[in-house]
Amino acid sequence: MADLSLLQEDLQEDADGSLDFVSQDEMLTPLGRLDKYAASENVFNRQMVARSLLDTLREVCDDERDCIAVLERISRLADDSEPTVRAELMEQVPHIALFCQENRPSIPYAFSKYLLPIVVRYLADQNNQVRKTSQAALLALLEQELIERFDVETKVCPVLIELTAPDSNDDVKTEAVAIMCKMAPMVGKDITERLILPRFCEMCCDCRMFHVRKVCAANFGDICSVVGQQATEEMLLPRFFQLCSDNVWGVRKACAECFMAVSCATCQEIRRTKLSALFINLISDPSRWVRQAAFQSLGPFISTFANPSSSGQYFKEESKSSEDTSVEDKNRIRDQEVPEDVQIRPEDVSSDPSISNSSVKLENMVEEHAETSRKSPGEISVPMDSSLLCTLSSESHQEAASNENDKKPANYKSTLRPEGGTSSPDSALLDQELYNSFHFWRTPLPEIDLDIELEQGSGNILSPERPEETPEVTIPGSSNITMATRKELEEMIENLEPHIDDPDVKAQVDVLSAALRASSLDAREEASDAEKRSDGQDALGANELPNCKTTHDASVPLISDAVENMDSALRYIHNDSDLSTNSSFSPDEERRSKVQDVVPQALLDQYLSMTDPSRAQTVDTEIAKHCAYSLPGVALTLGRQNWHCLRETYETLASDMQWKVRRTLAFSIHELAVILGDQLTAADLVPIFNGFLKDLDEVRIGVLKHLHDFLKLLHIDKRREYLYQLQEFLVTDNSRNWRFRAELAEQLILLLELYSPRDVYDYLRPIALNLCADKVSSVRWISYKLVSEMVKKLHVATPPTFGVDLINELVENFGRCPKWSGRQAFVFVCQTVIEDDCLPMDQFAVHLMPHLLTLANDRVPNVRVLLAKTLRQTLLEKEYFLTSASCHQEAVEQTIMALQMDRDSDVKYFASIHPASTKISEDAMSTASSTY
């Protein structure tokens, strides 16, 4: 007992001492407490001071001198020897700076004078934790624009440049480079270009530390996007090329990851001629990790070749404008009729008159070949009809365009205008206007005597579709592109040879070598064909058509009989719709079917190879998923006219063994449908869509989430076919997957607008009523909205019998349901119908309200509670029941009075007052409707 009494006395003394300590602190001023704990030898006390600085400032914010005194004490606390105290202080600096800006506008220099020097000084602190917190604080201050521009130039950037000096600490240098790169988008182009860019370029060439080069490579895209195209091409691209060939694979991998951002900051020519070859090197890198990153960036990089002027999409053929029609017609003709060796891109046509006399560069030409083609007679081949090619002589084109404008018919002027360069303001017109398919691709109308035409038609010399004489025929495009292809193949093989030890690289070299031999064979065949065509054309003289008056004799000669020799080569393109079903292609035809002129063919070939099973073993097991993820972007870049290049790849991905790949396609199939248009969607996407409907739930959910987006793109007849399959969504692999049914209810609400009242009643109504009786409350809540919207649609339909029948079914199946949950669901549906004005109140009073009021005598309190809330909070708020003194209003008031006398206290409560909550979901929660 004595020991217990002594213990009690000690506890009492300790309690008295602690009370004295608390009372002493309370007697101190905020500044006094700050000084007391800041001078404490206990580290935790000083940490507490740093943590409570913002609270101290709030207490003294009314006195400017006290605020300055607190800021001065912060400067002294920054010299603390304990790193944890300095780190804690730095974490509070952004909050203190924001407080100073918001509450002390009279002392704008407070942050610049007291806080910013601490942040900048800590960037070089010896402790890693302090440096990290200061870097985070600096970025937060820049992001919130709390640092003045002048301070950034004079206080922040000089310190960072000093920290990245050659003699700086390695860790500090690496962190400083990272900070410079991250702050570049926040400080803008001017400061970045003047102060950060020179040092950044130096750091890219840091020969001693690969960590610095790796940081530069990882942030290269951000710097390019800030400084713009000119600085990127002049200063940054040479450094980027060095980084892409760095001897450390981590640096090359970082370059591959930011390739898209770098590409976006360059012009189309550099992107096509230089970056493409550089990217091919990364894809063929000896390191698997570099190849993996490159293949992941391949799709995004290809998307940078998209033409912004023609990226606008339309879907229905009949809904597009005249400009869109012309572009689509042009693209379709190019897709169907232009072989690989005669295609021309609109953006390749020069807009400079001084250059227009040279031959137009084709897509995949290298620079050496471009110089050669300028020295050639300069003739380019342009497809004009399904069996007609036009050879445009650039030597006489501009002269003819200026001398014979008055002689040419209107459509003939349009034929020549796109080829001719112009420096007038008309050059700013959209491609859709310059390349009008009706004018550009149409054969000029000559004046031909009918008898002569018939005579020549019987003689098989000149058909009505080929009315003009062809004094000379030259098609250099074929051999030119063959030469360019061989040049590309040789360069690719040369780049891959140093890494021939890698089995994957060796396989690529074998394929490229075979392609090189094939191209050489094609070149010899084309040369012999060209000689035959020229010999045949020399025999065709101008005197054979004495009465055929052409508008332009030498400028636009047309190929006649020579085109027949190319029919076999073009036949697989003419029958484009049969490509997917005809499997008896020769290898050369199959290769040509995947040729396009939008992106470099080597890039597209690498993208298409991502579905090769060997890639999963040598590059990345999820490479097919990356291919599927970027496919809509690639399809948008190529355009629907080049869909034949991607069709086989898409079908391969759609049948991939990995459900993640199919799931990715399922989530994006509606976007791809918009890109391809209704015809290609019906032919190629609908079968795949149907397959996804029968796939795993993980794949079906992707289709289901965008069911409305996809079905609205289909023709009405095709859309109706899916009415029979909607019921299948109610069946899932796992019955506990209630979110699947909730998504179905959401989509059915959107689908109501796509179908007729008859279809809604026959097919959607049973599904909606089934969902209203679901075991999960979340599904039921959405279904109530679905049923109410269905009532609204069917009521306004003609005849309104569908709406009446649906209401009667609701009354029968739910209003009189033996289970209380069904009767409660009926009240919920009525509440939703009232809130969303799905029925006029007079119609509601006739069809639904009598059955609703009968539930006032329901034996389950939950039903009566919801009824009281619905009547009191929803029904009586409608103007129909506020202004009119009808029998319906009297019946409602009598029901409410009966509910106010109910034996259940909750029912009486909700029938008497107006609770704040009127939301249907909250009503459900409050009435225990969330039971399963």
Side-chain angles (χ1 to χ4, degrees), residues 647-665:
R647 182 188 294 114
E648 183 179 347
T649 299
Y650 190 78
E651 293 172 352
T652 302
L653 292 171
S655 59
D656 195 275
M657 293 295 294
Q658 300 182 69
W659 63 265
K660 292 182 179 180
V661 176
R662 305 194 302 274
R663 173 185 170 95
T664 303
L665 294 181

PDB file of all heavy atoms in Angstrom, residues 647-665:
ATOM      1  N   ARG A 647      -5.836  -4.598 -93.226  1.00  0.00           N
ATOM      2  CA  ARG A 647      -6.951  -5.520 -93.025  1.00  0.00           C
ATOM      3  C   ARG A 647      -6.488  -6.872 -92.480  1.00  0.00           C
ATOM      4  O   ARG A 647      -7.027  -7.379 -91.492  1.00  0.00           O
ATOM      5  CB  ARG A 647      -7.710  -5.715 -94.338  1.00  0.00           C
ATOM      6  CG  ARG A 647      -8.929  -6.631 -94.198  1.00  0.00           C
ATOM      7  CD  ARG A 647      -9.530  -6.963 -95.547  1.00  0.00           C
ATOM      8  NE  ARG A 647     -10.098  -5.791 -96.186  1.00  0.00           N
ATOM      9  CZ  ARG A 647      -9.621  -5.256 -97.318  1.00  0.00           C
ATOM     10  NH1 ARG A 647      -8.555  -5.801 -97.898  1.00  0.00           N
ATOM     11  NH2 ARG A 647     -10.186  -4.202 -97.845  1.00  0.00           N
ATOM     12  N   GLU A 648      -5.484  -7.429 -93.107  1.00  0.00           N
ATOM     13  CA  GLU A 648      -5.018  -8.751 -92.682  1.00  0.00           C
ATOM     14  C   GLU A 648      -4.453  -8.704 -91.264  1.00  0.00           C
ATOM     15  O   GLU A 648      -4.684  -9.621 -90.463  1.00  0.00           O
ATOM     16  CB  GLU A 648      -3.958  -9.257 -93.665  1.00  0.00           C
ATOM     17  CG  GLU A 648      -3.453 -10.654 -93.346  1.00  0.00           C
ATOM     18  CD  GLU A 648      -2.420 -11.121 -94.347  1.00  0.00           C
ATOM     19  OE1 GLU A 648      -2.283 -10.483 -95.407  1.00  0.00           O
ATOM     20  OE2 GLU A 648      -1.737 -12.121 -94.058  1.00  0.00           O
ATOM     21  N   THR A 649      -3.726  -7.642 -90.948  1.00  0.00           N
ATOM     22  CA  THR A 649      -3.176  -7.498 -89.594  1.00  0.00           C
ATOM     23  C   THR A 649      -4.290  -7.401 -88.567  1.00  0.00           C
ATOM     24  O   THR A 649      -4.218  -8.003 -87.487  1.00  0.00           O
ATOM     25  CB  THR A 649      -2.270  -6.261 -89.527  1.00  0.00           C
ATOM     26  OG1 THR A 649      -1.183  -6.423 -90.439  1.00  0.00           O
ATOM     27  CG2 THR A 649      -1.735  -6.051 -88.123  1.00  0.00           C
ATOM     28  N   TYR A 650      -5.326  -6.646 -88.894  1.00  0.00           N
ATOM     29  CA  TYR A 650      -6.437  -6.493 -87.948  1.00  0.00           C
ATOM     30  C   TYR A 650      -7.144  -7.832 -87.722  1.00  0.00           C
ATOM     31  O   TYR A 650      -7.495  -8.172 -86.588  1.00  0.00           O
ATOM     32  CB  TYR A 650      -7.422  -5.455 -88.486  1.00  0.00           C
ATOM     33  CG  TYR A 650      -8.473  -5.042 -87.481  1.00  0.00           C
ATOM     34  CD1 TYR A 650      -8.171  -4.143 -86.473  1.00  0.00           C
ATOM     35  CD2 TYR A 650      -9.761  -5.565 -87.526  1.00  0.00           C
ATOM     36  CE1 TYR A 650      -9.118  -3.758 -85.532  1.00  0.00           C
ATOM     37  CE2 TYR A 650     -10.712  -5.199 -86.595  1.00  0.00           C
ATOM     38  CZ  TYR A 650     -10.389  -4.287 -85.612  1.00  0.00           C
ATOM     39  OH  TYR A 650     -11.336  -3.923 -84.681  1.00  0.00           O
ATOM     40  N   GLU A 651      -7.316  -8.580 -88.780  1.00  0.00           N
ATOM     41  CA  GLU A 651      -7.958  -9.889 -88.630  1.00  0.00           C
ATOM     42  C   GLU A 651      -7.090 -10.837 -87.806  1.00  0.00           C
ATOM     43  O   GLU A 651      -7.604 -11.639 -87.011  1.00  0.00           O
ATOM     44  CB  GLU A 651      -8.239 -10.483 -90.012  1.00  0.00           C
ATOM     45  CG  GLU A 651      -9.285  -9.699 -90.793  1.00  0.00           C
ATOM     46  CD  GLU A 651      -9.410 -10.181 -92.228  1.00  0.00           C
ATOM     47  OE1 GLU A 651      -8.565 -11.016 -92.645  1.00  0.00           O
ATOM     48  OE2 GLU A 651     -10.329  -9.722 -92.937  1.00  0.00           O
ATOM     49  N   THR A 652      -5.790 -10.740 -87.982  1.00  0.00           N
ATOM     50  CA  THR A 652      -4.892 -11.577 -87.185  1.00  0.00           C
ATOM     51  C   THR A 652      -4.980 -11.214 -85.709  1.00  0.00           C
ATOM     52  O   THR A 652      -5.035 -12.098 -84.838  1.00  0.00           O
ATOM     53  CB  THR A 652      -3.444 -11.413 -87.684  1.00  0.00           C
ATOM     54  OG1 THR A 652      -3.376 -11.755 -89.067  1.00  0.00           O
ATOM     55  CG2 THR A 652      -2.498 -12.289 -86.888  1.00  0.00           C
ATOM     56  N   LEU A 653      -4.998  -9.928 -85.410  1.00  0.00           N
ATOM     57  CA  LEU A 653      -5.103  -9.491 -84.017  1.00  0.00           C
ATOM     58  C   LEU A 653      -6.448  -9.898 -83.421  1.00  0.00           C
ATOM     59  O   LEU A 653      -6.536 -10.264 -82.249  1.00  0.00           O
ATOM     60  CB  LEU A 653      -4.929  -7.973 -83.929  1.00  0.00           C
ATOM     61  CG  LEU A 653      -3.533  -7.429 -84.250  1.00  0.00           C
ATOM     62  CD1 LEU A 653      -3.566  -5.912 -84.340  1.00  0.00           C
ATOM     63  CD2 LEU A 653      -2.526  -7.870 -83.194  1.00  0.00           C
ATOM     64  N   ALA A 654      -7.488  -9.821 -84.229  1.00  0.00           N
ATOM     65  CA  ALA A 654      -8.821 -10.169 -83.718  1.00  0.00           C
ATOM     66  C   ALA A 654      -8.939 -11.641 -83.360  1.00  0.00           C
ATOM     67  O   ALA A 654      -9.816 -12.013 -82.564  1.00  0.00           O
ATOM     68  CB  ALA A 654      -9.884  -9.793 -84.744  1.00  0.00           C
ATOM     69  N   SER A 655      -8.084 -12.463 -83.918  1.00  0.00           N
ATOM     70  CA  SER A 655      -8.106 -13.888 -83.597  1.00  0.00           C
ATOM     71  C   SER A 655      -6.917 -14.298 -82.742  1.00  0.00           C
ATOM     72  O   SER A 655      -6.596 -15.488 -82.660  1.00  0.00           O
ATOM     73  CB  SER A 655      -8.121 -14.712 -84.891  1.00  0.00           C
ATOM     74  OG  SER A 655      -6.985 -14.416 -85.688  1.00  0.00           O
ATOM     75  N   ASP A 656      -6.258 -13.332 -82.116  1.00  0.00           N
ATOM     76  CA  ASP A 656      -5.092 -13.621 -81.292  1.00  0.00           C
ATOM     77  C   ASP A 656      -5.492 -14.483 -80.097  1.00  0.00           C
ATOM     78  O   ASP A 656      -6.594 -14.364 -79.550  1.00  0.00           O
ATOM     79  CB  ASP A 656      -4.448 -12.322 -80.815  1.00  0.00           C
ATOM     80  CG  ASP A 656      -3.043 -12.540 -80.270  1.00  0.00           C
ATOM     81  OD1 ASP A 656      -2.924 -12.879 -79.069  1.00  0.00           O
ATOM     82  OD2 ASP A 656      -2.092 -12.378 -81.029  1.00  0.00           O
ATOM     83  N   MET A 657      -4.557 -15.317 -79.665  1.00  0.00           N
ATOM     84  CA  MET A 657      -4.839 -16.207 -78.547  1.00  0.00           C
ATOM     85  C   MET A 657      -4.957 -15.459 -77.221  1.00  0.00           C
ATOM     86  O   MET A 657      -5.644 -15.915 -76.309  1.00  0.00           O
ATOM     87  CB  MET A 657      -3.735 -17.266 -78.442  1.00  0.00           C
ATOM     88  CG  MET A 657      -3.698 -18.238 -79.608  1.00  0.00           C
ATOM     89  SD  MET A 657      -5.193 -19.254 -79.670  1.00  0.00           S
ATOM     90  CE  MET A 657      -5.018 -20.196 -78.154  1.00  0.00           C
ATOM     91  N   GLN A 658      -4.299 -14.315 -77.104  1.00  0.00           N
ATOM     92  CA  GLN A 658      -4.332 -13.552 -75.862  1.00  0.00           C
ATOM     93  C   GLN A 658      -5.615 -12.725 -75.811  1.00  0.00           C
ATOM     94  O   GLN A 658      -5.874 -11.905 -76.712  1.00  0.00           O
ATOM     95  CB  GLN A 658      -3.128 -12.628 -75.762  1.00  0.00           C
ATOM     96  CG  GLN A 658      -1.782 -13.342 -75.792  1.00  0.00           C
ATOM     97  CD  GLN A 658      -0.633 -12.375 -75.644  1.00  0.00           C
ATOM     98  OE1 GLN A 658      -0.406 -11.783 -74.599  1.00  0.00           O
ATOM     99  NE2 GLN A 658       0.114 -12.199 -76.718  1.00  0.00           N
ATOM    100  N   TRP A 659      -6.388 -12.895 -74.753  1.00  0.00           N
ATOM    101  CA  TRP A 659      -7.642 -12.146 -74.674  1.00  0.00           C
ATOM    102  C   TRP A 659      -7.387 -10.657 -74.472  1.00  0.00           C
ATOM    103  O   TRP A 659      -8.235  -9.817 -74.821  1.00  0.00           O
ATOM    104  CB  TRP A 659      -8.522 -12.699 -73.554  1.00  0.00           C
ATOM    105  CG  TRP A 659      -7.947 -12.587 -72.157  1.00  0.00           C
ATOM    106  CD1 TRP A 659      -7.256 -13.531 -71.485  1.00  0.00           C
ATOM    107  CD2 TRP A 659      -8.047 -11.452 -71.284  1.00  0.00           C
ATOM    108  NE1 TRP A 659      -6.894 -13.071 -70.244  1.00  0.00           N
ATOM    109  CE2 TRP A 659      -7.376 -11.808 -70.081  1.00  0.00           C
ATOM    110  CE3 TRP A 659      -8.631 -10.192 -71.381  1.00  0.00           C
ATOM    111  CZ2 TRP A 659      -7.281 -10.940 -69.007  1.00  0.00           C
ATOM    112  CZ3 TRP A 659      -8.526  -9.322 -70.304  1.00  0.00           C
ATOM    113  CH2 TRP A 659      -7.855  -9.687 -69.142  1.00  0.00           C
ATOM    114  N   LYS A 660      -6.223 -10.296 -73.945  1.00  0.00           N
ATOM    115  CA  LYS A 660      -5.922  -8.877 -73.761  1.00  0.00           C
ATOM    116  C   LYS A 660      -5.811  -8.159 -75.103  1.00  0.00           C
ATOM    117  O   LYS A 660      -6.167  -6.985 -75.216  1.00  0.00           O
ATOM    118  CB  LYS A 660      -4.633  -8.707 -72.959  1.00  0.00           C
ATOM    119  CG  LYS A 660      -4.735  -9.150 -71.515  1.00  0.00           C
ATOM    120  CD  LYS A 660      -3.420  -8.912 -70.773  1.00  0.00           C
ATOM    121  CE  LYS A 660      -3.540  -9.338 -69.315  1.00  0.00           C
ATOM    122  NZ  LYS A 660      -2.276  -9.124 -68.574  1.00  0.00           N
ATOM    123  N   VAL A 661      -5.303  -8.865 -76.099  1.00  0.00           N
ATOM    124  CA  VAL A 661      -5.208  -8.270 -77.441  1.00  0.00           C
ATOM    125  C   VAL A 661      -6.604  -8.062 -78.013  1.00  0.00           C
ATOM    126  O   VAL A 661      -6.932  -6.974 -78.536  1.00  0.00           O
ATOM    127  CB  VAL A 661      -4.365  -9.179 -78.358  1.00  0.00           C
ATOM    128  CG1 VAL A 661      -4.332  -8.616 -79.779  1.00  0.00           C
ATOM    129  CG2 VAL A 661      -2.955  -9.331 -77.804  1.00  0.00           C
ATOM    130  N   ARG A 662      -7.439  -9.070 -77.913  1.00  0.00           N
ATOM    131  CA  ARG A 662      -8.806  -8.940 -78.432  1.00  0.00           C
ATOM    132  C   ARG A 662      -9.589  -7.893 -77.639  1.00  0.00           C
ATOM    133  O   ARG A 662     -10.415  -7.166 -78.206  1.00  0.00           O
ATOM    134  CB  ARG A 662      -9.512 -10.298 -78.374  1.00  0.00           C
ATOM    135  CG  ARG A 662      -8.764 -11.418 -79.090  1.00  0.00           C
ATOM    136  CD  ARG A 662      -9.647 -12.634 -79.309  1.00  0.00           C
ATOM    137  NE  ARG A 662     -10.188 -13.163 -78.080  1.00  0.00           N
ATOM    138  CZ  ARG A 662      -9.587 -14.024 -77.280  1.00  0.00           C
ATOM    139  NH1 ARG A 662      -8.361 -14.460 -77.586  1.00  0.00           N
ATOM    140  NH2 ARG A 662     -10.166 -14.467 -76.178  1.00  0.00           N
ATOM    141  N   ARG A 663      -9.353  -7.813 -76.363  1.00  0.00           N
ATOM    142  CA  ARG A 663     -10.034  -6.810 -75.527  1.00  0.00           C
ATOM    143  C   ARG A 663      -9.658  -5.397 -75.981  1.00  0.00           C
ATOM    144  O   ARG A 663     -10.510  -4.507 -76.053  1.00  0.00           O
ATOM    145  CB  ARG A 663      -9.654  -7.030 -74.070  1.00  0.00           C
ATOM    146  CG  ARG A 663     -10.161  -5.961 -73.105  1.00  0.00           C
ATOM    147  CD  ARG A 663      -9.613  -6.232 -71.715  1.00  0.00           C
ATOM    148  NE  ARG A 663      -9.860  -5.131 -70.800  1.00  0.00           N
ATOM    149  CZ  ARG A 663     -10.900  -5.059 -69.966  1.00  0.00           C
ATOM    150  NH1 ARG A 663     -11.788  -6.026 -69.959  1.00  0.00           N
ATOM    151  NH2 ARG A 663     -11.049  -4.031 -69.158  1.00  0.00           N
ATOM    152  N   THR A 664      -8.376  -5.199 -76.291  1.00  0.00           N
ATOM    153  CA  THR A 664      -7.943  -3.882 -76.765  1.00  0.00           C
ATOM    154  C   THR A 664      -8.659  -3.504 -78.054  1.00  0.00           C
ATOM    155  O   THR A 664      -9.107  -2.357 -78.219  1.00  0.00           O
ATOM    156  CB  THR A 664      -6.420  -3.894 -76.987  1.00  0.00           C
ATOM    157  OG1 THR A 664      -5.769  -4.263 -75.767  1.00  0.00           O
ATOM    158  CG2 THR A 664      -5.933  -2.528 -77.421  1.00  0.00           C
ATOM    159  N   LEU A 665      -8.777  -4.447 -78.974  1.00  0.00           N
ATOM    160  CA  LEU A 665      -9.494  -4.166 -80.222  1.00  0.00           C
ATOM    161  C   LEU A 665     -10.967  -3.916 -79.962  1.00  0.00           C
ATOM    162  O   LEU A 665     -11.584  -3.055 -80.610  1.00  0.00           O
ATOM    163  CB  LEU A 665      -9.333  -5.338 -81.189  1.00  0.00           C
ATOM    164  CG  LEU A 665      -7.931  -5.613 -81.733  1.00  0.00           C
ATOM    165  CD1 LEU A 665      -7.974  -6.792 -82.688  1.00  0.00           C
ATOM    166  CD2 LEU A 665      -7.370  -4.385 -82.430  1.00  0.00           C
TER     167      LEU A 665
END
